Amino acid sequence: MESLASALALDEWLRVERLVLVLFKTQHCSVCDAVQPQLEALLGRYPAVKGAYLYMEDAPELAATYMIFTSPVVVLMYEGKEVYRAARFVRFAELEYQVSQYTSLLAMDTQTETD
């Protein structure tokens, strides 16, 4: 997962990447520290999905922009739009299902563009 340090960096990243999994976390959060390696393992199974994480302390304005009231928050974004969110308690089977569905959609979109 790539570390991003600001809201501007996230905005730029979302403009470039089509399917993104973002982890919003805070310092000294044991749940955040436990979730991140599991997300990295998930991303290893889906190379089309790009992963990033941000510390909310580095970009507090994102709390309002993305309505983040706790940590961790995991957001799956397709073409810059939020399509799935998990906060505090991440159900990894449900998240993986969503990732697989949007990965398939991305593959179909890519195929259509090349035809």
Side-chain angles (χ1 to χ4, degrees):
M1 295 184 85
E2 186 170 329
S3 174
L4 302 176
S6 68
L8 182 60
L10 177 61
D11 289 343
E12 278 296 314
W13 214 59
L14 291 174
R15 271 194 284 275
V16 174
E17 304 296 342
R18 293 184 66 194
L19 187 55
V20 175
L21 188 64
V22 182
L23 170 62
F24 296 95
K25 60 191 284 187
T26 55
Q27 299 285 339
H28 313 295
C29 169
S30 60
V31 177
C32 301
D33 293 339
V35 165
Q36 187 171 351
Q38 293 178 67
L39 291 177
E40 289 171 349
L42 175 69
L43 290 168
R45 294 189 296 274
Y46 296 92
V49 183
K50 305 302 177 195
Y53 66 93
L54 298 117
Y55 284 99
M56 295 307 299
E57 293 89 348
D58 294 338
E61 66 275 16
L62 289 175
T65 303
Y66 289 95
M67 295 189 304
I68 297 173
F69 305 112
T70 188
S71 65
V73 174
V74 177
V75 177
L76 180 64
M77 296 186 157
Y78 181 73
E79 295 185 346
K81 295 188 175 38
E82 181 177 327
V83 293
Y84 178 81
R85 173 185 290 237
R88 194 76 179 141
F89 302 103
V90 180
R91 294 184 177 120
F92 282 94
E94 185 177 288
L95 174 59
E96 184 157 11
Y97 175 76
Q98 293 294 325
V99 168
S100 71
Q101 294 298 300
Y102 280 96
T103 301
S104 298
L105 181 61
L106 182 63
M108 288 188 322
D109 284 352
T110 304
Q111 174 102 23
T112 303
E113 290 172 2
T114 60
D115 290 344

